[in-house]
Amino acid sequence: MHASPTTETLDHLRHEARACRACPLWQDATQTVFGEGPAHAPIMLVGEQPGDKEDIAGKPFVGPAGQVLDRALQDAGVDRGKVYVTNAVKHFKFVPRGKIRLHQKPATPEINACRPWYQRERAAVNPALVVALGATAAQSVLGKIITIGKTRGRLLDLDETAKALVTVHPSYLLRLPDADAKAREYRRFVEDLTLALPFLQP
Ligand code: URA
């Protein structure tokens, strides 16, 4: 599908997505977590899927990964309030482990089932830049499986109207056990996000 200005509004999409049954993930999740942000933001950030906190709040990136993302955006000089934030998959996929719900990576059929929502969101927002955070987001945004290491940190042509930027997912930084690696990878993440900055300026 082509991203072009459309009459389909985000409110309409958000409402319709609440009843999505395109894959089985809706059955165990609390709710559909749709994107949020300015309706015509110049930048769209795409994550993987809501986590435990997002599933309960009904908002993307409000948990631990969201805190890393917020700090990195701030360090890159990118105002999150000016960016539309969403996920490739809009229901939380998990397995229960006692009292906690353990995050599970979405599978390709789930990513594909949810992709029309991302495509319709993108068509409605019509951003000049789409930033994919991690491999799942990149798969949805680019329509193919890519290697983050080979693709990250440079502007790619998405089509004639928009660029794409691939970088790591903030949860990857949270999982790194070594403090030096964490600091180094965080700096690279901020560097990647800095490439988005010119898209915010008129
Ligand atoms: N991870 C994501 O990819 N998205 C969220 O909304 C939260 C955590």
Side-chain angles (χ1 to χ4, degrees):
M1 189 173 132
H2 235 46
S4 61
T6 171
T7 51
E8 193 167 50
T9 68
L10 286 170
D11 282 348
H12 168 86
L13 283 175
R14 185 175 290 110
H15 183 79
E16 200 183 318
R18 274 189 215 148
C20 184
R21 304 288 184 262
C23 83
L25 294 183
W26 66 272
Q27 294 174 32
D28 295 327
T30 306
Q31 58 191 316
T32 304
V33 179
F34 207 70
E36 64 172 23
H40 299 293
I43 300 173
M44 179 180 259
L45 271 184
V46 185
E48 182 196 71
Q49 63 166 342
D52 182 71
K53 295 273 191 299
E54 290 80 12
D55 171 73
I56 291 160
K59 290 167 174 290
F61 282 108
V62 293
Q67 282 165 19
V68 176
L69 177 63
D70 285 351
R71 183 157 69 92
L73 285 172
Q74 207 175 353
D75 288 347
V78 176
D79 180 351
R80 175 165 169 173
K82 297 204 170 127
V83 171
Y84 185 88
V85 180
T86 193
N87 282 301
V89 171
K90 290 176 171 53
H91 281 109
F92 180 33
K93 182 178 181 183
F94 63 94
V95 285
R97 281 281 178 277
K99 283 191 184 154
I100 64 163
R101 303 189 296 171
L102 259 193
H103 162 275
Q104 298 277 286
K105 194 176 148 40
T108 291
E110 293 148 357
I111 298 168
N112 290 344
C114 219
R115 195 161 181 251
W117 292 119
Y118 153 70
Q119 290 174 313
R120 290 166 72 187
E121 266 178 313
R122 184 185 155 209
V125 177
N126 198 28
L129 176 69
V130 181
V131 181
L133 303 170
T136 298
Q139 189 174 338
S140 189
V141 169
L142 301 176
K144 60 182 181 189
I145 295 171
I146 56 97
T147 311
I148 297 291
K150 285 189 191 152
T151 318
R152 74 179 292 179
R154 59 198 159 86
L155 295 173
L156 310 166
D157 289 326
L158 201 47
D159 58 26
E160 61 283 359
T161 66
K163 302 273 184 199
L165 171 65
V166 174
T167 186
V168 293
H169 192 283
S171 298
Y172 159 71
L173 304 172
L174 287 171
R175 284 195 305 268
L176 287 172
D178 175 71
D180 286 348
K182 222 180 195 123
R184 192 177 55 242
E185 284 301 308
Y186 177 77
R187 281 196 301 274
R188 274 193 83 189
F189 183 46
V190 172
E191 236 173 71
D192 289 349
L193 292 176
T194 304
L195 292 174
L197 198 51
F199 291 83
L200 278 185
Q201 281 143 11

